[in-house]
Amino acid sequence: MNLLEQAKEVQALLLNDARQAGADLRSIENFRLKFLGKKGLIPALFARLGELSVTEKRQIGQVLNEIKVSAENVVEQLTKNLSQPTSTPEFFDFTLPGIIPDVGHPHPISLTMQAIISIFREMGFGIEFGPEVETDYYNFQTLNFPDDHPARDMQDTFFISSKVLLRTHTSPIQIRTMLKQRPPIRILAPGRVFRNEAINARSFCAFHQVEGLYVDEKVTFSELKTTLELFAKRFFGSAVKIRFRPSFFPFTEPSAEVDVSCFICAGKGCRLCKNSGWLEILGCGMVDPNVFEAVGIDPHKYSGYAFGMGVDRITLLKYQINDIRLLWDGDVRLIEQF
Amino acid sequence: MRVNTDWLKQYTEIPYTPEELSNRLTEIGLEATIVDESANLPDSVIIAIVATVDKHPRADRLSVCKVNTGEREYTVVCGAPNVTAGQRVPLALPGAVLPGGQEIKATTIRGVFSEGMLCAEDELKLSDDHSGIMVLDESAPIGMPLREFLQKNDVSLEIELTPNRPDCASQIGIAREISLLTGSQLILPPVNLPEGNVPTSNEVAVVIEDAEACPRYAARLIRQVQVGPSPQWLVRRLNSVGLRSINNVVDAANFVLMETGHPLHTFDLAQVKEQKIVVRRARAGEKVMTLDGMERSLTPEILLICDAVRPVAIAGIMGLANSEITDRTTDVLIESAYFNPKVIRRGARFLGLQTDASYRFERGADIEGVIYALNRVAQIITEVAGGEVCRGIVDNYPGVSAPRRVQVNYRKIDELIGMEFDRTWLVDLFRELGCKTERITAEGVSLEVPSWRPDLEREVDFCEEAVRIYGMSRVPSAKKLSIQLRGAVDERYDRIESLRSRMMAFGFDEIYTNSLISAEKSHLNFDGYQPIALQNPLSIDLSHLRTALFPGMLQAVKNNINHRRLNLRLFELGFVQLRDAASETGAQEKLHLGAVVCGETGERHWSRLMRQSDLFVVKGLIEGLLKNMRLALPTWNPIERPECKILLKTEIAGRVLAYLGEFNPTFLRELVDIEVPVFFLEMDVDLLLEQPVGPVKFRELPIFPAVQRDISIVLDARVPVADVVAKIQSSGGEYLREVLFYDLYTGKNIDKSKKSLTFNLVFWALERTLTDAEIDKAMTRIHQVLNEEFQARLR
């Protein structure tokens, strides 16, 4: 067989093998050795060039070169395919952690506050704000806390001057709203409030409240009950039981405290509810006629209800956080849990 | 306020277990909790009956008792003076460990074998009474563990009284509320007082100088009393509500205080000069020594009870040491008075003193109950201390007034509560409350309010009584809510919340810090704002209101570093208060956003190279927030402050929008002891929210491909990048759509005074594919302009 015929055969074999070559390293190497290796088919062809005349050498050498280049191209192409990710690596550690997007975490009080507000917004409550530095007039007097009345002992107050103080509750926002807006009024007033109380695991000198107020013709206690029952079931879960018990606030009459059945023990009694089965979550009542008088709303024509809750307290209960000071340290070990 | 079930039963029937009673009281607004003092008693302390008492053969003060538990008889040696046959007593059997830790053993005492111990109340930690063994009444079943018996029959309840209910600050007051629940009668102990012949008015004179402060003052005299220890029943009653026994006369007054709620005071008549009582205001600077042994300096706000020459009591608050009842007292002057609540409250607050008396007077005592309490205490004193009561009462009552009347309309009650009340039930209830009813019609009733209920002034107060006793749980919940459609859309709230969530999306953790900080920290702000100080701070660390968020946030950074949390991105949304004479409160309130950053940026991950935080993290934060609101990016001006290494400020129309920067290491070390670089942002959110949010406006998308070109230039290192970007934009022609600065290089191959900047430029046209020639032309123009403006050359 002359060299040219032999070269054609190698070329045909090359095309055939290239089509069938496996996509793994070993097959590629076998392919390379078979055609391009020292003892491979192509070097063997080149070795026979010496048998030929100068003219034949030039002519057939060109053909051999083409075969060699195409063999090299096949190897290159196969190797390239090999490094594509579609091929299976020897070992893939899928236990390596993924990249969690770097998002921040909300403060738990913000979470509670947002949850409370969104429930009442659905019930048509708008949102009003008021200042943290308040006057005695808005914080106490118009809310039916007369001077020298023992009701003032219920709220230890930080004073800035004899007539200016840090608000002890969000209720002054009720007054400010009723002074600038005529009924019907249906508002929610969130905010930070202050009490001059020793700081320990259970109490802090500042906390947050959400206050609600609804004033219109013929507002009833019965409607207040429905509103708060709906809230409690939405916030604590539909299985929760609600208890209204009479209490006293100067700015409402009648007044009530609202308890929910303990969501840890379902009312059986545990450490969280101090074995009572109930957790106190808010205070409420029908707006006292004296408050209406103070803001110039006719108490014979209008009635209303108000309620207020301590957001920090509810947050501690809900997440069973054992020390209120943790809410104020800025400790990311706490924040990251939310 | 404490009540005791055994005591309450003297005045009304109680058909409830202690748990039921506690729940029922709570349901009518008297929040009650059971004080279970017997919970720690072991079951081996059982009720036994004393069969015989014999003298110990070899010890004068001891007796040898045979006691029976029903099962068997025990011989017990006892040292108590009061042990007698027939008594039912607690017997601690051998092996019992008493609440105080004492273990009872069978032992031989002076030759007599004793099989246990008869216990006094203090040994069982039931009270501090050690006058003798505890004696139970006839109803105590022999053989029953003492704990079981006490838990059924003799339970104290702690009641949290609201300030509107002074009438409930007594056993009778609570018994009256129980009778409202049960419908059974309230029985007040009848007072039959044998009197002597000497008229009280011959012996004592009462002068009221300030009738507004003291509308009523009544007195009685008892001669020849025998001051000494109280009998056991009296000690037990006082102990059951948390009071200690002092002597029989004082105990009698305290007993009646706890029984009726009316405060009384007893004087040693021998110490009341000229047997005269003068009620007057204190003089400024007048000094007295109160019963608690404290010397107190007074003001005219305080009302005094004086004799002919000197003060003998601070009215309604506390007696003075000079006239107290002692062992030598023979004649007792009893005071039963009514003082103006405001006067007592001011006085008690001035003195920083709250007593059982002041608590009741400042909430409103019963002015018509003065005489009953006076007679009742006189009766008890004669029972427990003997003596003869002088005839009649000196009753100085300048403040007498007609009883309060309230007209109640039934429909008003129905309308406020939202249900229809039975008319007969309402009238019965008002009567049971102690009201006299008149003019009962189909519409309503006229009520005469009992003197012990100062809180019942208006129709609405009776509305509360109706719903309180009917039961708030029984009031039906409305089936329908009327919902007021809101006029306002709460844009402010929504924008604040969106800012909050955007901050979290940017990877920042939210913290809350105290609005109250130290004077030093409260002065930290960059605008010279003055802080507001509290008059009555909790501590010097919490004496002022913050004027910026960063001082408190730096403390939070320090707290985290202490816990080895070094990579922090924290934010807070909170109010600051700035002193402002023009405002009605003297304060100007601003909502601020604060952010602090230190350590590495972002969470560590095995595949990631971490970067240290720098100024551009906080700068990018505010740029991101503004971009999100589609507001223009601000221009920054550097300013010099000792607190900061770098401080940049940006303003909108002359008002500061934000500061950002890096704190000075010395400042950080001295303020909060932090050793790492901290970068911060402090922004005025109110000002930010005043800016209208730019609307989202759709820009048509090109169908034809965009062309991207890079340009690298070398130019003077002091040329701001923003200026270069602006020039590229203005010179790039209408098809240049985006200019992205993406590389800054200095160092090898670049002159020290120069820097190399690289930009990526994007060109496209909406209607066609741009040609290479057009882009080349634009690029040439840009090169030209940059060269003219900044002597920039291509790299």
Side-chain angles (χ1 to χ4, degrees):
Chain A
M1 199 191 296
N2 69 30
L3 186 55
L4 193 60
E5 283 167 0
Q6 198 182 347
K8 295 274 181 206
E9 262 179 34
V10 171
Q11 192 172 27
L13 194 61
L14 177 75
L15 287 173
N16 183 55
D17 279 16
R19 263 197 305 274
Q20 290 175 6
D24 56 303
L25 264 175
R26 177 171 289 241
S27 330
I28 297 169
E29 185 58 12
N30 286 342
F31 179 90
R32 195 187 64 81
L33 286 171
K34 182 173 177 183
F35 292 97
L36 296 166
K38 265 186 189 158
K39 292 173 184 168
L41 294 167
I42 296 172
L45 294 176
F46 276 99
R48 282 186 66 193
L49 270 182
E51 300 168 4
L52 306 176
S53 67
V54 178
T55 340
E56 278 176 325
K57 249 183 213 168
R58 198 184 304 132
Q59 214 180 0
I60 295 178
Q62 204 177 339
V63 174
L64 293 189
N65 260 329
E66 280 171 14
I67 294 172
K68 191 184 170 200
V69 169
S70 66
E72 284 166 350
N73 280 345
V74 169
V75 172
E76 192 187 346
Q77 193 57 48
L78 287 173
T79 315
K80 214 188 223 169
N81 287 345
L82 187 68
S83 62
Q84 298 291 316
T86 49
S87 60
T88 317
E90 311 248 300
F91 174 68
F92 173 66
D93 186 357
F94 53 82
T95 68
L96 285 170
I99 304 175
I100 299 170
D102 292 344
V103 292
H105 303 267
H107 193 281
I109 292 176
S110 294
L111 276 185
T112 310
M113 190 75 104
Q114 285 164 348
I116 294 169
I117 288 176
S118 72
I119 293 169
F120 284 110
R121 276 182 107 178
E122 284 175 16
M123 294 192 245
F125 285 81
I127 296 163
E128 290 288 333
F129 297 97
E132 292 174 356
V133 177
E134 260 297 359
T135 60
D136 184 271
Y137 181 75
Y138 289 115
N139 194 76
F140 287 127
Q141 278 181 44
T142 45
L143 287 161
N144 199 29
F145 286 81
D147 280 338
D148 293 317
H149 193 276
R152 291 200 173 201
D153 291 348
M154 295 164 83
Q155 304 183 353
D156 291 319
T157 309
F158 285 117
F159 287 95
I160 287 158
S161 68
S162 61
K163 292 285 164 224
V164 179
L165 41 79
L166 294 185
R167 68 177 170 201
T168 56
H169 47 189
T170 42
S171 310
I173 302 175
Q174 287 186 17
I175 302 294
R176 288 178 176 275
T177 307
M178 285 191 283
L179 283 173
K180 68 175 186 203
Q181 207 182 312
R182 294 288 92 181
I185 294 168
R186 196 175 175 93
I187 58 142
L188 215 53
R192 183 175 290 190
V193 303
F194 301 84
R195 300 275 170 95
N196 194 344
E197 287 169 4
I199 296 173
N200 56 42
R202 318 214 124 260
S203 89
F204 198 77
C205 55
F207 60 97
H208 303 80
Q209 282 189 338
V210 179
E211 183 104 357
L213 172 74
Y214 178 38
V215 181
D216 202 345
E217 290 176 32
K218 299 197 168 76
V219 176
T220 65
F221 181 78
S222 172
E223 194 174 337
L224 169 64
K225 275 190 79 173
T226 305
T227 306
L228 294 180
E229 280 162 1
L230 266 174
F231 162 74
K233 284 183 189 297
R234 282 286 309 276
F235 189 84
F236 293 104
S238 51
V240 88
K241 285 202 264 307
I242 295 108
R243 174 171 86 167
F244 283 72
R245 65 190 153 77
S247 187
F248 169 75
F249 307 107
F251 40 96
T252 50
E253 184 83 2
S255 304
E257 304 253 24
V258 178
D259 302 334
V260 293
S261 53
C262 179
F263 41 79
I264 301 303
C265 63
K268 287 184 199 75
C270 67
R271 225 177 54 142
L272 186 71
C273 60
K274 295 194 195 93
N275 282 318
S276 70
W278 296 99
L279 299 168
E280 185 183 321
I281 55 153
L282 60 85
C284 64
M286 304 305 292
V287 178
D288 194 287
N290 289 356
V291 174
F292 282 140
E293 302 273 4
V295 296
I297 289 177
D298 181 0
H300 301 290
K301 184 170 178 204
Y302 294 103
S303 60
Y305 63 68
F307 57 84
M309 59 192 99
V311 180
D312 305 43
R313 189 186 139 68
I314 291 175
T315 304
L316 293 188
L317 288 173
K318 185 171 178 184
Y319 302 111
Q320 294 173 67
I321 299 170
N322 55 7
D323 190 331
I324 200 165
R325 290 167 293 192
L326 291 173
L327 300 175
W328 296 92
D329 282 348
D331 191 333
V332 294
R333 297 173 306 168
L334 171 94
I335 306 298
E336 281 170 355
Q337 297 181 36
F338 294 90
Chain B
M1 227 285 300
R2 205 166 272 199
V3 292
N4 174 270
T5 54
D6 187 53
W7 194 350
L8 289 171
K9 281 178 197 155
Q10 309 301 309
Y11 315 108
T12 192
E13 280 174 38
I14 305 181
Y16 307 124
T17 64
E19 287 74 24
E20 283 167 353
L21 179 63
S22 164
N23 286 337
R24 297 305 304 270
L25 288 175
T26 300
E27 280 165 12
I28 59 168
L30 301 163
E31 200 179 343
T33 42
I34 293 174
V35 186
D36 193 355
E37 277 159 340
S38 51
N40 293 324
L41 287 181
D43 279 348
S44 40
V45 177
I46 52 181
I47 298 168
I49 186 160
V50 181
T52 60
V53 179
D54 294 306
K55 266 191 111 64
H56 191 290
R58 285 159 65 188
D60 283 351
R61 295 196 177 173
L62 298 180
S63 25
V64 179
C65 312
K66 301 249 185 252
V67 296
N68 198 307
T69 62
E71 271 182 20
R72 59 164 279 208
E73 194 170 81
Y74 295 82
T75 305
V76 179
V77 176
C78 177
N82 65 328
V83 62
T84 41
Q87 285 172 335
R88 285 158 201 246
V89 295
L91 167 67
L93 293 175
V97 179
L98 300 187
Q102 186 188 357
E103 195 186 335
I104 305 301
K105 286 180 183 133
T107 176
T108 304
I109 300 170
R110 297 222 179 174
V112 178
F113 188 63
S114 178
E115 305 170 274
M117 184 171 93
L118 303 185
C119 306
E121 289 187 17
D122 70 332
E123 288 159 339
L124 299 172
K125 294 270 176 282
L126 295 174
S127 77
D128 56 3
D129 182 20
H130 194 68
S131 61
I133 52 166
M134 182 180 186
V135 181
L136 303 161
D137 64 38
E138 306 271 294
S139 69
I142 292 156
M144 182 186 270
L146 178 66
R147 177 171 49 83
E148 200 181 325
F149 175 69
L150 291 181
Q151 283 177 345
K152 270 190 199 145
N153 297 284
D154 189 350
V155 174
S156 291
L157 301 176
E158 183 66 35
I159 297 182
E160 206 168 303
L161 285 185
T162 52
N164 59 329
R165 294 302 303 274
D167 63 298
C168 284
S170 66
Q171 310 300 308
I172 289 176
I174 298 296
R176 182 183 290 115
E177 293 281 306
I178 295 170
S179 74
L180 288 175
L181 289 171
T182 60
S184 63
Q185 244 196 319
L186 177 75
I187 301 153
L188 298 187
V191 182
N192 299 309
L193 200 58
E195 294 181 325
N197 289 324
V198 186
T200 313
S201 53
N202 282 8
E203 303 293 308
V204 184
V206 172
V207 177
I208 298 175
E209 286 187 1
D210 187 338
E212 210 194 315
C214 177
R216 189 172 198 181
Y217 194 106
R220 264 194 185 278
L221 269 190
I222 309 182
R223 294 208 179 274
Q224 300 303 318
V225 299
Q226 199 87 46
V227 177
S230 292
Q232 206 176 14
W233 71 264
L234 183 52
V235 176
R236 215 175 114 215
R237 286 284 185 243
L238 294 180
N239 284 166
S240 75
V241 296
L243 290 188
R244 289 174 164 228
S245 170
I246 295 163
N247 61 49
N248 49 10
V249 173
V250 174
D251 286 0
N254 281 336
F255 173 85
V256 176
L257 164 68
M258 288 298 158
E259 181 183 54
T260 65
H262 199 89
L264 299 139
H265 190 63
T266 49
F267 298 98
D268 182 343
L269 186 68
Q271 302 305 320
V272 179
K273 307 279 190 242
E274 297 175 31
Q275 307 197 168
K276 185 178 177 188
I277 291 291
V278 178
V279 187
R280 66 158 170 89
R281 295 279 184 162
R283 287 184 275 273
E286 199 169 357
K287 285 195 172 57
V288 296
M289 163 94 77
T290 41
L291 273 176
D292 54 6
M294 299 273 287
E295 188 171 73
R296 297 173 189 273
S297 184
L298 310 179
T299 75
E301 287 210 304
I302 288 169
L303 192 68
L304 285 178
I305 310 299
C306 304
D307 60 18
V309 295
R310 54 171 194 174
V312 288
I314 298 177
I317 301 175
M318 192 179 265
L320 299 188
N322 59 18
S323 55
E324 70 177 310
I325 305 292
T326 67
D327 296 349
R328 296 179 303 280
T329 303
T330 56
D331 298 347
V332 175
L333 171 68
I334 311 169
E335 163 197 297
S336 180
Y338 176 89
F339 300 111
N340 184 321
K342 283 188 179 181
V343 174
I344 300 306
R345 178 171 163 76
R346 277 191 206 150
R349 271 178 68 187
F350 176 81
L351 296 170
L353 197 60
Q354 199 190 57
T355 60
D356 283 328
S358 72
Y359 176 89
R360 287 162 177 83
F361 279 128
E362 70 180 47
R363 283 160 177 74
D366 177 8
I367 198 166
E368 296 304 324
V370 161
I371 302 303
Y372 178 78
L374 182 62
N375 289 336
R376 177 79 173 141
V377 74
Q379 180 196 18
I380 306 270
I381 290 175
T382 53
E383 276 173 30
V384 301
E388 189 181 71
V389 181
C390 292
R391 182 155 52 82
I393 296 170
V394 171
D395 183 11
N396 204 336
Y397 192 177
V400 58
S401 61
R404 202 168 36 240
R405 297 201 148 278
V406 177
Q407 176 67 37
V408 171
N409 186 323
Y410 307 131
R411 205 166 44 81
K412 276 286 159 77
I413 299 180
D414 294 350
E415 279 176 3
L416 193 66
I417 302 303
M419 61 171 278
E420 199 169 306
F421 284 90
D422 183 88
R423 288 4 184 182
T424 326
W425 182 85
L426 283 176
V427 173
D428 286 347
L429 169 69
F430 298 150
R431 285 191 183 128
E432 282 161 27
L433 287 169
C435 297
K436 292 193 181 108
T437 54
E438 273 180 37
R439 295 198 301 276
I440 301 175
T441 67
E443 279 76 46
V445 59
S446 170
L447 301 171
E448 186 185 308
V449 182
S451 58
W452 61 81
R453 289 297 300 267
D455 60 317
L456 299 181
E457 295 180 313
R458 307 159 299 170
E459 189 176 57
V460 69
D461 299 320
F462 285 93
C463 188
E464 172 167 69
E465 291 304 291
V467 71
R468 182 173 78 87
I469 302 300
Y470 180 79
M472 287 182 166
S473 311
R474 289 172 65 200
V475 174
S477 304
K479 296 276 181 291
K480 225 162 87 179
L481 290 184
S482 46
I483 291 184
Q484 168 62 29
L485 293 179
R486 289 177 285 136
V489 287
D490 306 327
E491 194 191 4
R492 180 178 157 82
Y493 173 79
D494 288 337
R495 287 184 69 182
I496 292 170
E497 291 312 307
S498 112
L499 190 58
R500 197 191 308 278
S501 44
R502 179 67 34 176
M503 286 302 291
M504 289 185 277
F506 286 171
F508 280 69
D509 287 331
E510 187 183 22
I511 63 169
Y512 282 32
T513 67
N514 200 343
S515 312
L516 300 174
I517 53 177
S518 68
E520 180 202 6
K521 288 185 179 178
S522 73
H523 281 86
L524 291 172
N525 63 65
F526 304 119
D527 298 293
Y529 288 124
Q530 289 302 302
I532 289 165
L534 299 183
Q535 272 187 344
N536 55 337
L538 262 177
S539 71
I540 56 163
D541 292 339
L542 306 171
S543 60
H544 286 67
L545 285 156
R546 61 186 176 188
T547 56
L549 300 180
F550 73 82
M553 297 188 77
L554 283 175
Q555 186 57 52
V557 169
K558 176 63 183 172
N559 295 345
N560 281 295
I561 289 177
N562 285 345
H563 294 129
R564 309 302 303 152
R565 297 299 301 256
L566 310 176
N567 305 324
L568 301 169
R569 280 163 301 164
L570 308 177
F571 83 98
E572 177 170 15
L573 269 166
F575 290 98
V576 300
Q577 306 290 341
L578 314 172
R579 200 189 293 167
D580 178 4
S583 119
E584 98 183 286
T585 58
Q588 187 197 347
E589 181 173 282
K590 280 186 170 199
L591 181 61
H592 271 201
L593 169 71
V596 288
V597 171
C598 66
E600 293 168 352
T601 62
E603 308 292 330
R604 280 197 178 186
H605 190 263
W606 55 275
S607 72
R608 231 190 232 175
L609 269 180
M610 295 313 298
R611 218 172 73 96
Q612 286 296 314
S613 299
D614 56 26
L615 191 73
F616 296 100
V617 176
V618 281
K619 186 163 185 272
L621 176 60
I622 183 168
E623 288 169 347
L625 292 174
L626 294 174
K627 214 172 155 187
N628 179 241
M629 295 169 74
R630 293 169 293 283
L631 295 173
L633 296 190
T635 53
W636 297 94
N637 293 308
I639 47 177
E640 301 260 327
R641 287 288 301 196
E643 298 91 351
C644 297
K645 198 160 138 186
I646 309 167
L647 182 63
L648 301 177
K649 164 168 137 173
T650 185
E651 296 180 334
I652 296 179
R655 289 159 66 196
V656 179
L657 174 67
Y659 287 99
L660 66 81
E662 176 181 357
F663 289 111
N664 189 327
T666 324
F667 168 73
L668 283 182
R669 199 173 305 125
E670 283 169 9
L671 189 77
V672 278
D673 191 23
I674 292 177
E675 296 286 348
V676 298
V678 179
F679 305 89
F680 75 99
L681 168 72
E682 179 104 19
M683 179 162 66
D684 180 344
V685 176
D686 290 313
L687 182 55
L688 180 73
L689 297 188
E690 279 175 29
Q691 311 309 312
V693 175
V696 180
K697 217 168 144 192
F698 171 69
R699 271 194 330 180
E700 206 181 329
L701 304 178
I703 322 165
F704 300 96
V707 179
Q708 302 206 13
R709 291 285 176 90
D710 281 3
I711 174 171
S712 280
I713 53 171
V714 175
L715 76 179
D716 189 316
R718 289 165 305 174
V719 175
V721 170
D723 293 3
V724 181
V725 171
K727 274 295 160 206
I728 296 174
Q729 272 164 342
S730 63
S731 59
E734 60 172 320
Y735 299 122
L736 173 61
R737 309 290 177 165
E738 284 168 53
V739 180
L740 174 73
F741 166 66
Y742 77 92
D743 192 40
L744 168 68
Y745 179 74
T746 53
K748 213 176 160 194
N749 300 330
I750 305 283
D751 189 284
K752 278 212 165 66
S753 66
K754 308 258 175 182
K755 64 183 169 188
S756 162
L757 305 177
T758 307
F759 303 85
N760 177 255
L761 314 184
V762 181
F763 299 86
W764 50 259
L766 203 52
E767 66 284 358
R768 61 191 175 82
T769 307
L770 295 172
T771 64
D772 279 352
E774 283 174 299
I775 308 286
D776 290 343
K777 209 173 136 199
M779 292 302 288
T780 312
R781 199 164 52 238
I782 292 168
H783 298 163
Q784 227 166 29
V785 170
L786 294 182
N787 184 262
E788 282 162 19
E789 287 291 327
F790 310 115
Q791 291 74 53
R793 57 176 180 78
L794 289 181
R795 189 174 163 227

